[in-house]
Amino acid sequence: MPKQRHNILILNGPNLNMLGSREPEIYGIQTLTDIANDCEEYAGELGFTIDFRQSNSEGELVTFIQQARGAFSGLVINAGAYTHTSVAIHDAIKILEIPVIEVHLSNPQAREAFRHHSYISPVAKGTICGFGGHGYILALNALRSLLDDEG
Ligand code: DQA
């Protein structure tokens, strides 16, 4: 039986538009456009349509999350530095009634202490970190099986 098609929102927070030239020893050499293209291709194989967005603004990310209600079946979010500071993004995700996967290119737990706390983790279904851009693909796979389980 063909899998049900779903719309998935992929959100990226501040400074992720600088990937490729931003601390490549930590974040790798892939640009955000490379990651978006990989997600687009893989999403097609999974039967997903994706909307891949980036914003440097906390308020805009909150608005995107609010607008996801009713429009998307799942959210993948790399909130960048807002992961460690944003009660507003935490609250917006709490209102959403769709599965949320938190992604980080690096492994924040292996870095500075200020990166060890996440406001996203308590409101996410799960977190994928430390696998570079491949983490987004892993997150799409996780959403595929979660949404299949929901039926
Ligand atoms: C990040 C980790 C955050 O601590 C950092 O502020 C980022 C990127 C990651 O993808 O590894 O901007 O979310």
Side-chain angles (χ1 to χ4, degrees), residues 14-16 22 27 78-84 103-108 111 115:
N15 299 310
L16 292 167
R22 176 191 181 192
Y27 297 114
N78 181 351
Y82 291 141
T83 303
H84 317 298
V103 168
H104 299 285
L105 298 144
S106 66
N107 176 359
R111 300 180 62 196
R115 297 185 204 274

